[in-house]
Amino acid sequence: MRGIMRAAIIGASAESIHTIKTAQKLGVEVTALDGDAEAAGLKAADNSYVTDIRDTEAVLERLKLIQPSFMLTAPIGRFLTTTGAANDALHLKGVSLKATELCTDKWEFHETLSRAGLRNCPCFLIAADMWRPDAGQAQRMNALITSITDNIHYPAIIKPRYGSGSRGITVAENWEEVQTEFGALSMHAKEDYIIEDMMPGVEYGVDGAVTGGKFHLILLRRKINTPLPAREAVAYISVRQGELTQRVESYLARAVSTLGIDNSLIHCDLMISDEAGDPFIIELSARPSGHNLHNLFTPLATGVDEAQEMILFQCGDKYEFTPREVRIMEIRYFDFTGTAVKVPTEDEARQKAAENGCSLEQWKCAIHEGDDMAAPSTGHILMSRGYMILGPGDDGDVLTQDEAGAKLENTAGKILSLFEIR
């Protein structure tokens, strides 16, 4: 029988609550740290401290007093590195500082995987001061412009060098748009950016884990995105195990090994073309996915609660990340633009799903009649409105992946049509 286990979590947003409560149910005492005194996770934890998670030394001083047995992770961006630093400083079984730096520095991430032949695309670093009117930068600037114009294909992706997720990502259709975008950035932003080809194919999300050097694929999710330039995910459809998931698992096993990631949950976005070659990795981070995926959709589709299994692993108990089977399901967010005139009830949505041979498994709608909704240009806007989760109904097991996906998408569209938006 194991003794008392203590865990700490750095970053205590609402998306940390599932992990905190799961740990508590398993008998683990949880301490949460966040710079926001109103962070929801601070209230859910057994112990909480308002601490600037950007200040690594202040965090480490606090953790040395707590002496956690292991670190928990929640969806977080650039300052995932603080968790890596804590693992190193306290000699804990978890992702290292170096690995978290590679996850959150998109330029070094690209360079590391590119050298290993795992990320093959033109990619250029544009430093924060590159576009400022400084005569000393002229030669450097001209060389960069030549490299970009000779190698980048359009549309191209422009994104901040540091952090993870969709923050600040834009799409340029031509060189003039690149100049316009960076002209604006040079006036307002003081951070590095990168520009790279937007690779062809279908975009997918991945939930996974690494334990003892072994990568486990939990779920592959096909994305449905808004049109360019935002390309925000408005839906995900789970993918059954098969040749495609095996190909992704093999590729990501090589990627996480190259990045030096171990003993961690994994969230990844990648592109898969129609060809049988390797996928193209967009981003990968050593933490769970957000947007009600790791805590809700993935457990429903796979029967695997990745937060629970990682805590069991850290406690030295029996764990299992591989699903026995994957159900084809869809999570759909509400990507409306305009004023909500009519909002359906959950019962109306459930009835419409049943009419189309599907099941409404979860419904959370935060839209109210009279709400004015801006275009969904960020994930935060979409997440604030809620979601629905659909299952394909009684014939789900006999439908192919494509048939079930089409049925789910069609049903989601029918339910969305119950909303009246002007």
Side-chain angles (χ1 to χ4, degrees), residues 127-182:
D129 61 353
M130 183 69 74
W131 293 73
R132 294 174 188 166
D134 182 342
Q137 295 284 7
Q139 185 174 359
R140 185 175 165 211
M141 177 73 158
N142 289 335
L144 176 64
I145 290 173
T146 299
S147 294
I148 291 175
T149 54
D150 287 349
N151 293 282
I152 288 290
H153 306 90
Y154 296 97
I157 300 290
I158 300 169
K159 53 190 177 183
R161 175 177 179 175
Y162 296 104
S164 63
S166 58
R167 179 188 71 87
I169 294 178
T170 58
V171 177
E173 295 284 356
N174 50 54
W175 173 245
E176 288 70 27
E177 289 188 10
V178 174
Q179 290 179 304
T180 299
E181 178 68 18
F182 279 104

Side-chain angles (χ1 to χ4, degrees), residues 119-397:
R119 198 173 195 272
N120 302 314
C121 80
C123 181
F124 296 92
L125 173 65
I126 303 179
D129 61 353
M130 183 69 74
W131 293 73
R132 294 174 188 166
D134 182 342
Q137 295 284 7
Q139 185 174 359
R140 185 175 165 211
M141 177 73 158
N142 289 335
L144 176 64
I145 290 173
T146 299
S147 294
I148 291 175
T149 54
D150 287 349
N151 293 282
I152 288 290
H153 306 90
Y154 296 97
I157 300 290
I158 300 169
K159 53 190 177 183
R161 175 177 179 175
Y162 296 104
S164 63
S166 58
R167 179 188 71 87
I169 294 178
T170 58
V171 177
E173 295 284 356
N174 50 54
W175 173 245
E176 288 70 27
E177 289 188 10
V178 174
Q179 290 179 304
T180 299
E181 178 68 18
F182 279 104
L185 290 171
S186 68
M187 294 174 63
H188 303 292
K190 295 181 179 180
E191 62 178 317
D192 296 350
Y193 277 74
I194 63 172
I195 180 170
E196 64 184 25
D197 279 12
M198 185 170 75
M199 302 301 284
V202 177
E203 189 172 352
Y204 289 80
V206 174
D207 294 301
V210 190
T211 57
K214 176 177 172 55
F215 175 72
H216 313 267
L217 178 67
I218 301 170
L219 182 65
L220 181 67
R221 301 175 263 100
R222 178 169 67 86
K223 286 190 179 186
I224 300 172
N225 290 330
T226 60
L228 294 174
R231 294 184 78 241
E232 286 293 335
V234 297
Y236 292 91
I237 296 177
S238 53
V239 178
R240 282 194 191 116
Q241 293 129 318
E243 184 276 332
L244 181 60
T245 59
Q246 291 171 4
R247 184 152 52 102
V248 169
E249 188 165 28
S250 174
Y251 171 72
L252 289 181
R254 288 178 281 150
V256 297
S257 176
T258 300
L259 295 167
I261 299 172
D262 201 1
N263 302 327
S264 175
L265 295 175
I266 294 295
H267 165 64
C268 176
D269 294 316
L270 44 77
M271 298 294 290
I272 300 177
S273 68
D274 293 333
E275 301 172 358
D278 281 342
F280 174 82
I281 191 165
I282 300 170
E283 289 190 4
L284 184 149
S285 193
R287 47 87 167 172
S289 54
H291 298 178
N292 289 301
L293 294 168
H294 83 279
N295 59 312
L296 182 60
F297 182 69
T298 297
L300 282 173
T302 66
V304 175
D305 184 330
E306 61 193 85
Q308 173 181 287
E309 300 308 311
M310 181 53 69
I311 293 164
L312 290 172
F313 164 73
Q314 289 283 8
C315 289
D317 296 338
K318 185 178 180 180
Y319 65 93
E320 181 56 75
F321 287 106
T322 303
R324 292 184 179 180
E325 64 176 342
V326 172
R327 299 173 62 205
I328 303 178
M329 304 179 73
E330 176 173 358
I331 182 168
R332 184 61 159 84
Y333 311 108
F334 302 125
D335 58 321
F336 302 117
T337 303
T339 302
V341 177
K342 181 182 182 301
V343 177
T345 64
E346 180 175 350
D347 286 342
E348 289 172 329
R350 192 176 305 281
Q351 181 179 344
K352 182 61 69 175
E355 289 173 2
N356 289 271
C358 288
S359 57
L360 181 67
E361 308 218 358
Q362 294 279 336
W363 173 267
K364 182 178 181 181
C365 181
I367 300 172
H368 303 93
E369 292 179 2
D371 285 354
D372 292 319
M373 294 174 287
S377 58
T378 68
H380 177 73
I381 291 174
L382 281 174
M383 295 313 106
S384 68
R385 299 176 184 174
Y387 55 86
M388 59 178 160
I389 297 179
L390 298 169
D394 294 337
D395 59 355
D397 291 340

